């Protein structure tokens, strides 16, 4: 399985979820914002197989999600809300 892209503004949640996924044997790239994720993906560093986005407390626009999905080449997206 390829890399999982974890996007969460709350550093504590990001750290806990990342630690759990690493313990389960997954490769994880954790980023603090959608903007950081879009910049990372635009550089062509890699394409994740799964994106986990914690949308709690973040305004997520449909266009931004569309951009994210296109840059991940249609990877599965798990959207978590509060």
């Amino acid at each position: 399985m390829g890399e999982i892209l974890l996007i969460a503004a709350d550093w504590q949640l990001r750290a806990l979820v990342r630690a759990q996924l690493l313990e389960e044997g997954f490769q994880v790239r954790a980023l603090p914002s959608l903007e950081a994720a879009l910049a990372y993906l635009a550089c062509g560093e890699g394409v994740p197989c799964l994106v986990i986005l914690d949308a709690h407390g973040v305004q997520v626009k449909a266009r931004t999600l569309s951009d994210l999905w296109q840059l991940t080449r249609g990877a599965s997206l798990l959207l978590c809300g509060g």
Side-chain angles (χ1 to χ4, degrees), residues 6 13-26 28:
L6 171 63
L13 174 73
R14 193 171 60 246
L16 289 172
V17 173
R18 181 179 180 274
Q20 182 63 45
L21 289 170
L22 289 172
E23 186 174 314
E24 297 293 327
F26 296 102
V28 182

Side-chain angles (χ1 to χ4, degrees), residues 1-4 26-27 47-49:
M1 178 175 222
E3 181 180 74
I4 295 174
F26 296 102
Q27 295 177 355
V47 178
C49 63

